[in-house]
Amino acid sequence: MDQPIEPAPCDAVAHLQWMLRARLLEERLSSLYRQGRIPGSVFTGRGQEALSAAIGMQLRPGDIFAPLIRDMAGRLAFGLPAIEAARTYLGRITGHMRGRDGNVHHGLVDQGMLPMISHLGAMAAPCVGILLKRKITGALVAGDQCVAVVCIGEGGMQTGAMHEAINLAAVERLPLVVVAANNGYAYSTPSHQNFVCRDLVDRALGYGLRGWSCDATDCRAAWQTVAQALAAARSGDGPQLISARLLRLAGHGEHDDAAYIDPALKAAAVDCLDQGRQLVLDQGLLDQAELAALHTTIKTEIDAAVDQALGEADPVASDESWQIFADPILAAGAGAQA
Amino acid sequence: MSSPEATTYLAALRQAMAEVLAADERVFLLGEDVEDPFGGAFKATKGLSTAFPGRVRNAPISEDAIAGAAVGAALDGGRPIIEFQFADFAICGFNQLANHAATTFWRTGKPCPLVARLPCGGTPGGGPFHCQMPEGWLTAHPGLVVVAPGTVQDAYELLRAAVACDDPVIYLEHKHLYYHLRDPGFSAGGPLLPLHRAAVRRSGRDCTVVTYSAMVQGALAAAEGLALEGIDTEVIDLRCLKPLDTETILESLARTGRLVVASEGWPYGSVASEVITQVCAEGFHLLDAPPRRVAARNTPIPFHPALWSAHRPDANAIQEAVRGLVNF
């Protein structure tokens, strides 16, 4: 444990592209929300894209990803088509959730991306269960294990569900990576009213697992920290806890003006997207014109996806089967009202 | 209730677990204290971790994580069985059962086949937190199948059928029946039976008693007593509490015209109240008297055996309810 780990190199342009896709998609969705075209609300990961994209990009087929509310970048990088995100927000019948669930509650179950439920901490134990099942069936390859990444905030870290799941993963020594994005506020409640330890990474010691801490507004730090934690988990080092410091550059949802955020924090805030742009310029990977062209290309791609979803059909209540059972015997014979 | 050599309810459900573990590599078992040499608080899993190394696993005292782990394993193609040590403690895992397992197929179209075993029901001295019947709150949530075996054969059949089911199944095993209920005629290895069909345990003309779990035995005892008074009672064992086999209940009421629903659970928002609601909605014309509910008293479950016996319904309470309807 605790041997130094060489992080996988970061393709700064690719990283920026996933961040930008998420930002532009969420800006478009927020705009639709303000037009009254999206039921409920829209929840963005503004300011958290560097961390989220670093996760989605570094996961492989066979890995498990349990993204949270602010992980559009990770979802897209993991393989979610932008149109699926739009379909779910719009509640379209064409989407995976078919209007039965919405906003950020979607996934790609067969590809290992779990569709979150709203209850914070609730996605960690299913990740542990998948890894445990694979351990039991001999599907974890020694030295190069598949991993499960569960994303959570500093607010969600205070749930009993997270404690139980992390501890179970530790007891079974499973390749679970917990990414705790401490964005300063759990809805309106500042971090100091959620926990009083110096850094959430300190909890790793209590669980007997390895911890990592980073400033996740820094694209390179976010990438490298995720890379190191993933490598450690794959190698058989057991669960890993990442504490990532950043700031939510938006409300909890688009219905929330976030007036409660400390003005000093706002003034000092670093936008990881700006930092990512500067990085590719400084490294000479793109020039200003190429950066502008990239923006235009991605904007066009996102708008096309959202426009297509806008043109698709809503669910029709009279066509809904209201079928609650998957089992064919129950579905066929158990009676609709029962 | 029979010869000591006869198969117990506990042995039957253990045998079902051994068979599904042997037959299906997707099956594993997770719970508190389930491994040998202890073999579970009630010995339900005794011998299984030895027979199936690595596939019967102790978990920390973490009901939420145990239930959540089952959700994940099910989504990954597993057929997990989880054991809550007492049904009362399943409340600590309720979020994963009600909000996750129950909603997954509806939301995503992906099945979530898990079996949660909940040792339920009263034993003297168990008190408020080791005797509960959880079916009221579990049947309220769409997406969960809830079964409650009341016979030794069903302890076996319903567990096998639960593991074969593509939906999350809550398996309510009654603690009092573990060793007290024996069946010399128990037979294993037959074809899988449908888990959602009620069974007529005793035919009668005068009144139908619908019940489940340990109250099946109470209802059968009540019926024998009533027969001496010339009252012919039909006893229906629901077996599956959700979905409900309303058809079998209505067929019975077409013969008897009178309904008593007997349950060890609390009365409010209960399986008993749901049965009566469905009967009133679909079979009001079949009724010759208002349906009666025989349930536990509406307080926490008392500790002292004298209070405990008075808290839960028994054969006498069922007889009283039946007499009341027959003389209505």
Side-chain angles (χ1 to χ4, degrees):
Chain A
M1 196 161 169
D2 287 0
Q3 292 95 354
I5 291 172
E6 190 63 32
C10 177
D11 179 339
V13 175
H15 195 197
L16 176 66
Q17 283 177 335
W18 287 117
M19 293 163 61
L20 197 51
R21 282 193 184 96
R23 180 72 61 93
L24 294 176
L25 174 57
E26 290 186 333
E27 283 180 354
R28 181 77 197 280
L29 293 168
S30 298
S31 166
L32 290 172
Y33 169 75
R34 288 191 292 275
Q35 294 167 33
R37 301 176 77 176
I38 288 181
S41 192
V42 167
F43 304 90
T44 76
R46 192 178 181 90
Q48 306 192 190
E49 293 96 335
L51 176 68
S52 187
I55 299 164
M57 290 174 71
Q58 296 187 72
L59 291 174
R60 312 190 301 220
D63 288 337
I64 300 298
F65 183 33
L68 205 71
I69 188 170
R70 319 241 173 254
D71 285 304
M72 182 67 86
R75 290 168 193 257
L76 295 175
F78 188 81
L80 182 79
I83 191 170
E84 274 304 324
R87 283 166 171 158
T88 309
Y89 264 113
L90 291 161
R92 292 294 188 252
I93 190 70
T94 45
H96 290 153
M97 310 309 264
R98 298 152 293 154
R100 290 177 173 186
D101 204 346
N103 56 61
V104 288
H105 300 164
H106 54 78
L108 301 167
V109 175
D110 294 338
Q111 288 101 302
M113 187 161 72
L114 303 182
M116 62 174 279
I117 67 170
S118 297
H119 304 71
L120 293 177
M123 302 314 295
C127 289
V128 175
I130 292 172
L131 296 172
L132 182 59
K133 176 240 172 197
R134 292 183 181 184
K135 175 180 171 180
I136 291 169
T137 55
L140 294 183
V141 179
D144 188 24
Q145 299 179 346
C146 65
V147 300
V149 173
V150 58
C151 296
I152 192 77
E154 86 286 356
M157 276 295 284
Q158 313 318 320
T159 61
M162 283 308 294
H163 162 70
E164 289 191 10
I166 293 172
N167 186 59
L168 178 57
V171 166
E172 290 282 359
R173 202 170 170 76
L174 296 170
L176 177 77
V177 179
V178 177
V179 182
N182 178 3
N183 66 11
Y185 291 83
Y187 207 150
S188 75
T189 303
S191 295
H192 70 87
Q193 290 181 307
N194 263 299
F195 65 94
V196 294
C197 58
R198 179 189 58 88
D199 185 317
L200 287 173
V201 74
D202 293 346
R203 294 199 181 162
L205 183 65
Y207 289 110
L209 47 88
R210 191 167 181 175
W212 309 81
S213 184
C214 70
D215 171 2
T217 62
D218 179 323
C219 295
R220 283 171 299 191
W223 178 275
Q224 288 180 7
T225 304
V226 170
Q228 288 171 314
L230 289 177
R234 290 192 198 286
S235 74
D237 193 31
Q240 311 289 316
L241 172 63
I242 295 176
S243 167
R245 296 179 307 280
L246 34 73
L247 185 69
R248 191 180 76 211
L249 302 179
H252 171 62
E254 290 303 284
H255 56 278
D256 170 25
D257 67 4
Y260 46 80
I261 292 185
D262 181 349
L265 276 180
K266 273 186 187 169
V270 175
D271 185 342
C272 59
L273 191 61
D274 293 340
Q275 205 256 1
R277 287 194 184 98
Q278 197 57 49
L279 206 60
V280 297
L281 291 172
D282 291 348
Q283 292 179 358
L285 299 170
L286 296 177
D287 61 24
Q288 285 286 8
E290 288 168 327
L291 205 53
L294 179 68
H295 186 103
T296 305
T297 303
I298 291 178
K299 178 94 174 77
T300 305
E301 164 200 317
I302 293 296
D303 282 342
V306 175
D307 288 342
Q308 184 180 329
L310 280 168
E312 293 174 347
D314 284 318
V316 177
S318 59
D319 293 340
E320 170 59 70
S321 73
W322 305 107
Q323 179 54 257
I324 188 65
F325 292 122
D327 189 87
I329 299 169
L330 294 181
Q337 93 293 342
Chain B
M1 295 186 187
S2 181
S3 70
E5 298 77 34
T7 305
T8 62
Y9 183 93
L10 186 69
L13 79 89
R14 185 192 298 126
Q15 180 162 345
M17 284 191 283
E19 287 183 15
V20 295
L21 279 160
D24 190 341
E25 63 182 15
R26 299 172 300 171
V27 177
F28 70 92
L29 206 150
L30 183 68
E32 295 160 16
D33 303 303
V34 296
E35 286 183 24
D36 291 334
F38 192 64
F42 299 99
K43 310 305 167 197
T45 54
K46 186 86 176 165
L48 296 180
S49 70
T50 307
F52 304 97
R55 293 172 63 199
V56 177
R57 302 181 86 87
N58 279 348
I61 304 173
S62 299
E63 284 82 6
D64 180 90
I66 292 167
V71 171
L75 285 174
D76 200 42
R79 293 264 164 171
I81 302 173
I82 55 172
E83 177 181 310
F84 291 104
Q85 199 154 78
F86 286 81
D88 314 60
F89 304 155
I91 291 178
C92 302
F94 188 41
N95 185 43
Q96 291 289 356
L97 297 176
N99 282 318
H100 215 169
T103 65
T104 291
F105 174 68
W106 165 261
R107 295 164 61 238
T108 69
K110 304 296 177 185
C112 188
L114 61 87
V115 178
R117 290 180 35 237
L118 279 65
C120 66
T123 49
F129 310 116
H130 290 75
C131 290
Q132 292 176 30
M133 295 295 290
E135 66 274 21
W137 46 274
L138 287 163
T139 52
H141 282 262
L144 296 177
V145 177
V146 183
V147 299
T151 67
V152 172
Q153 194 68 42
D154 266 352
Y156 172 81
E157 304 293 355
L158 287 175
L159 191 53
R160 289 200 308 161
V163 173
C165 182
D166 291 332
D167 293 294
V169 180
I170 309 296
Y171 178 96
L172 303 180
E173 51 195 62
H174 198 289
K175 299 192 293 294
H176 184 72
L177 300 182
Y178 276 154
Y179 295 103
H180 286 90
L181 194 61
R182 294 169 182 269
D183 182 356
F186 170 76
S187 65
L192 272 182
L193 300 179
L195 54 63
H196 64 290
R197 285 287 171 216
V200 178
R201 299 293 181 203
R202 184 188 194 283
S203 298
R205 297 182 318 270
D206 298 328
C207 183
T208 299
V209 177
V210 171
T211 187
Y212 54 94
S213 190
M215 292 301 290
V216 172
Q217 301 306 320
L220 290 170
E224 291 310 309
L226 288 164
L228 301 175
E229 303 169 21
I231 299 172
D232 193 13
T233 308
E234 182 146 310
V235 176
I236 292 180
D237 174 1
L238 285 176
R239 302 175 76 246
C240 186
L241 312 184
K242 194 174 189 183
L244 272 176
D245 182 0
T246 315
E247 194 181 320
T248 297
I249 299 168
L250 293 174
E251 282 171 7
S252 174
L253 289 173
R255 291 187 291 274
T256 67
R258 297 176 182 87
L259 172 65
V260 170
V261 187
S263 151
E264 193 180 328
W266 285 306
Y268 205 104
S270 63
V271 168
S273 54
E274 182 60 29
V275 168
I276 290 172
T277 299
Q278 293 197 23
V279 164
C280 288
E282 296 173 44
F284 193 70
H285 59 288
L286 302 173
L287 295 173
D288 297 326
R292 291 281 296 272
R293 180 173 60 185
V294 178
R297 290 174 187 270
N298 193 33
T299 69
I301 299 159
F303 164 73
H304 194 282
L307 296 178
W308 173 77
S309 301
H311 179 271
R312 68 196 292 273
D314 59 8
N316 288 333
I318 295 170
Q319 287 179 342
E320 197 179 319
V322 172
R323 282 189 205 105
L325 289 190
V326 170
N327 297 318
F328 178 76

